[in-house]
Amino acid sequence: MFYTLDRTEGDFAVLIDENGLKTDIHISSLPVLRSGSVYEKENDVYIYNEKETEKRRTAAAERMKKLFSGL
């Protein structure tokens, strides 16, 4: 399952899973703290997934491009 970093609040990161459920974890548990970063959880450790993060960022950029190209 993938978890996406939604935001940070103080010393905690708010992750949203694929089902829309929220999980709060200490920011020291994440190797990358950039909103939109994608992680996978293995043995209670959150591992940054660079490939999935880039895939989602590219798709979001394409959606924005299509949205604003019609203006």
Side-chain angles (χ1 to χ4, degrees), residues 4-66:
T4 304
L5 177 60
D6 184 58
R7 64 189 179 279
T8 58
E9 296 178 349
D11 290 339
F12 290 89
V14 179
L15 300 177
I16 307 295
D17 72 16
E18 295 171 312
N19 298 317
L21 299 175
K22 181 180 96 161
T23 301
D24 296 334
I25 63 166
H26 198 272
I27 59 174
S28 65
S29 299
L30 298 178
V32 177
L33 281 176
R34 183 173 173 206
S35 187
S37 295
V38 179
Y39 306 88
E40 291 180 271
K41 187 176 179 182
E42 292 182 18
N43 300 322
D44 293 327
V45 175
Y46 290 91
I47 300 168
Y48 177 63
N49 188 314
E50 185 175 3
K51 186 176 180 178
E52 186 66 22
T53 299
E54 195 55 40
K55 177 182 163 185
R56 292 180 185 199
R57 285 195 174 126
T58 300
E62 287 297 317
R63 287 192 303 273
M64 291 295 285
K65 185 177 177 181
K66 287 179 184 178

